[in-house]
Amino acid sequence: MHEKFMAAALKEAELALREGEFPVGCVIVENTNVIAQGRRVNSFVGNELDHAEMVALRSLHTKFPEAAQKDLTVYATMEPCLMCFAALLLNNVKTIVYAYEDVMGGGTTLPLNLLKPLYSGMEVEIIPGIMREESLKLFKKFFEEDQTGYWCDSYLAEFTLKQ
């Protein structure tokens, strides 16, 4: 089941890569239905707001304003950053499945129980490494061919290219 939805997220990431964007894709699932999707946009202009998860959340709330009242699962080709992780939690995402770990800025290991009351009582299931190799190939291609310079001198690029 996880592979089916991660494959859909990988399709979004492939579209992002074809558009010269950082290859992150995301789908939001309720029960067994994809109800929203998104891919990274505007990375080449240094915009750090239009992450795939944020794009998918905006789409979700446009199409299904009541969706935050349901238990949702997110599939992302890269581990969500701190911003996206917090946004997913606040939008009632109960399970986060990701392919490739973000060694530079991933947020899923944040100890929620040590945070303020808004987050400290939240519970989320994290499932890493689903279709990791397929996602890794997209990130390698991005860092090998990127002309924009987006994160090309970062620890993430160095780590990815050594895989």
Side-chain angles (χ1 to χ4, degrees), residues 99-118:
Y100 186 53
E101 64 276 14
D102 182 350
V103 296
M104 190 170 75
T108 64
T109 59
L110 188 67
L112 296 175
N113 62 320
L114 299 179
L115 299 179
K116 302 279 184 178
L118 177 63

Side-chain angles (χ1 to χ4, degrees), residues 18-126:
R18 275 190 239 143
E19 294 167 359
E21 298 284 353
F22 199 54
V24 182
C26 174
V27 297
I28 300 175
V29 175
E30 179 193 4
N31 297 320
T32 57
N33 299 311
V34 173
I35 58 173
Q37 67 256 0
R39 62 181 169 271
R40 183 67 162 98
V41 294
N42 298 318
S43 55
F44 54 89
V45 296
N47 177 332
E48 291 301 334
L49 295 173
D50 294 330
H51 290 197
E53 298 90 340
M54 302 303 276
V55 172
L57 283 170
R58 283 188 204 109
S59 173
L60 173 73
H61 287 290
T62 298
K63 292 191 252 182
F64 304 103
E66 74 289 349
Q69 307 307 315
K70 301 175 181 184
D71 290 347
L72 303 172
T73 299
V74 161
Y75 290 82
T77 59
M78 176 173 262
E79 177 185 5
C81 70
L82 286 172
M83 173 184 71
C84 293
F85 184 57
L88 294 171
L89 291 174
L90 291 171
N91 283 277
N92 213 37
V93 171
K94 299 296 185 191
T95 305
I96 298 172
V97 182
Y98 67 84
Y100 186 53
E101 64 276 14
D102 182 350
V103 296
M104 190 170 75
T108 64
T109 59
L110 188 67
L112 296 175
N113 62 320
L114 299 179
L115 299 179
K116 302 279 184 178
L118 177 63
Y119 298 99
S120 65
M122 291 183 170
E123 293 183 17
V124 62
E125 180 181 12
I126 307 295

